[in-house]
Amino acid sequence: MTDNENTPTAETEAVQTRSGFVALIGPTNAGKSTLLNRLVGAKVSIVSHKVQTTRAIVRGIAIHGNAQIVFMDTPGIFKPRRRLDRAMVTSAWGGAKDADVIMLLIDSERGLRGDAEAILESLKEVKQPKILVLNKIDRVKAEDLLKLAAAANEAVEFERTFMISATTGSGCEDLMNFLAERLPEGPWYYPEDQISDLPMRQLAAEITREKLFLRLHQELPYASHVETEKWEERKDGSVRIEQVIYVERESQKKIALGKGGEAIKAISTAARKELSEILEQPVHLFLFVKVRENWGDDPARFREMGLEFPKG
């Protein structure tokens, strides 16, 4: 055998890339959006203490070693009561069934009560590989975590169980290592520097909606929606963005504006600051509040949110 035969070629040295989709499902407020932002390493999904903040599937793209992991942050799964609720739950399960791996996130403090128990029951019928992720482990005793993991694994056959804190990042590296190895071999779906497939106009609307929820989560009902109507790149390198906050009643409009416009100014300032950081350019943000009765029954609003309008 000659030296040439012993020398590895560039082709054999090439590292085989992996890629795939991981659906992040779970009950409302389990910490899915916080975890997605942690794993991607950037803000791609809005976070608030108001339940059901995520309405449509948001894809966050992470590179880990030779793998591109496309996370799908789905709306929290809960018992739907309205048309919008049904569209969100349908979107969540649709995302799960399209994924290479399903990642169930459970709030360790709340355990398997309520919606979590119902999700486990539905997961029994799903064929894709499934892993269990217990979040907020820093708030729960070790023996309680073990009992929770055992109960969940008894209900559904999970390939692996991970115990993490999405807030601190504890356990997230092990989770990423597993996913990077678990995904199928194949080319990457997105450019290396892309972190989300959400159009910037829609991401800007989501950022404003987050600030709206954070400011008015107790006063303003869930029935509010933000749309980016105008996006103008200006010659001085700044961008002018005009957005409309839709509410269902005149009384809600007064809440969104606040006394002397105080609320809307605070919301605009917070959203503009974050958008300037994300876009890396000055942002001129103009917010308008409009009343649109029963916008939750308008198919156009559902399309704007990336949801399918449920019939009936």
Side-chain angles (χ1 to χ4, degrees):
M1 185 178 291
T2 66
D3 288 343
N4 286 342
E5 289 175 303
N6 280 323
T7 305
T9 64
E11 185 177 344
T12 59
E13 284 184 324
V15 177
Q16 179 63 53
T17 57
R18 294 177 179 272
S19 60
F21 292 84
V22 177
L24 184 50
I25 69 168
T28 56
N29 268 12
K32 294 187 299 298
S33 296
T34 302
L35 179 58
L36 176 70
N37 292 338
R38 164 73 62 180
L39 298 180
V40 172
K43 178 76 163 279
V44 293
S45 189
I46 70 171
V47 179
S48 87
H49 38 250
K50 196 171 183 69
V51 299
Q52 300 147 32
T53 303
T54 300
R55 287 178 172 168
I57 291 177
V58 177
R59 291 178 180 86
I61 306 156
I63 306 297
H64 193 76
N66 65 325
Q68 184 178 72
I69 308 168
V70 185
F71 292 100
M72 299 188 291
D73 179 20
T74 63
I77 298 174
F78 56 99
K79 187 176 181 180
R81 296 179 178 85
R82 302 164 298 167
R83 193 190 296 268
L84 178 59
D85 296 343
R86 295 202 308 275
M88 288 162 60
V89 172
T90 299
S91 174
W93 281 116
K97 290 171 183 175
D98 289 338
D100 295 289
V101 176
I102 295 174
M103 186 160 70
L104 172 63
L105 189 67
I106 296 292
D107 180 337
S108 298
E109 284 189 297
R110 288 190 306 201
L112 302 182
R113 297 189 299 272
D115 293 328
E117 192 174 16
I119 293 170
L120 283 172
E121 192 62 33
S122 298
L123 271 179
K124 293 178 182 178
E125 309 301 319
V126 179
K127 295 178 180 178
Q128 280 95 330
K130 296 172 281 287
I131 62 173
L132 174 67
V133 179
L134 302 181
N135 191 22
K136 306 179 186 179
I137 59 169
D138 46 326
R139 304 180 188 179
V140 182
K141 293 179 181 178
E143 56 265 34
D144 293 332
L145 283 170
L146 293 174
K147 289 177 184 176
L148 175 58
N153 278 273
E154 190 175 329
V156 173
E157 188 176 342
F158 291 102
E159 286 193 2
R160 286 279 299 272
T161 297
F162 294 89
M163 299 185 183
I164 64 123
S165 168
T167 304
T168 67
S170 174
C172 290
E173 184 70 14
D174 288 340
L175 174 60
M176 290 292 281
N177 289 339
F178 172 82
L179 291 173
E181 288 296 323
R182 186 63 183 80
L183 294 179
E185 292 185 351
W188 290 355
Y189 291 98
Y190 297 95
E192 186 173 355
D193 59 350
Q194 187 170 340
I195 61 169
S196 176
D197 70 345
L198 199 64
M200 191 50 68
R201 291 171 68 106
Q202 193 174 340
L203 177 60
E206 288 288 275
I207 295 295
T208 300
R209 187 163 69 92
E210 177 187 58
K211 307 312 176 192
L212 179 73
F213 279 4
L214 291 174
R215 173 82 185 188
L216 302 171
H217 70 282
Q218 291 181 328
E219 300 100 317
L220 191 67
Y222 181 63
S224 59
H225 172 56
V226 181
E227 289 184 17
T228 301
E229 292 211 330
K230 290 185 180 178
W231 186 292
E232 179 191 352
E233 297 285 347
R234 305 178 68 167
K235 292 180 180 178
D236 61 2
S238 66
V239 58
R240 177 189 171 96
I241 303 171
E242 294 184 13
Q243 295 177 331
V244 177
I245 299 170
Y246 288 106
V247 294
E248 291 186 315
R249 293 189 294 277
E250 194 66 36
S251 60
Q252 296 171 3
K253 180 177 179 179
K254 292 178 181 177
I255 292 172
L257 291 172
K259 187 175 181 180
E262 180 186 0
I264 198 71
K265 287 176 186 174
I267 293 163
S268 177
T269 298
R272 182 173 65 248
K273 182 176 183 296
E274 184 158 330
L275 284 169
S276 295
E277 292 171 357
I278 291 173
L279 296 171
E280 298 181 339
Q281 65 185 124
V283 171
H284 307 284
L285 179 63
F286 299 87
L287 300 183
F288 306 91
V289 184
K290 295 183 181 180
V291 177
R292 177 171 281 166
E293 293 184 7
N294 301 318
W295 70 260
D297 294 321
D298 181 356
R301 304 282 75 76
F302 281 70
R303 286 194 297 272
E304 183 71 25
M305 288 184 280
L307 293 170
E308 186 174 330
F309 186 74
K311 306 296 186 214

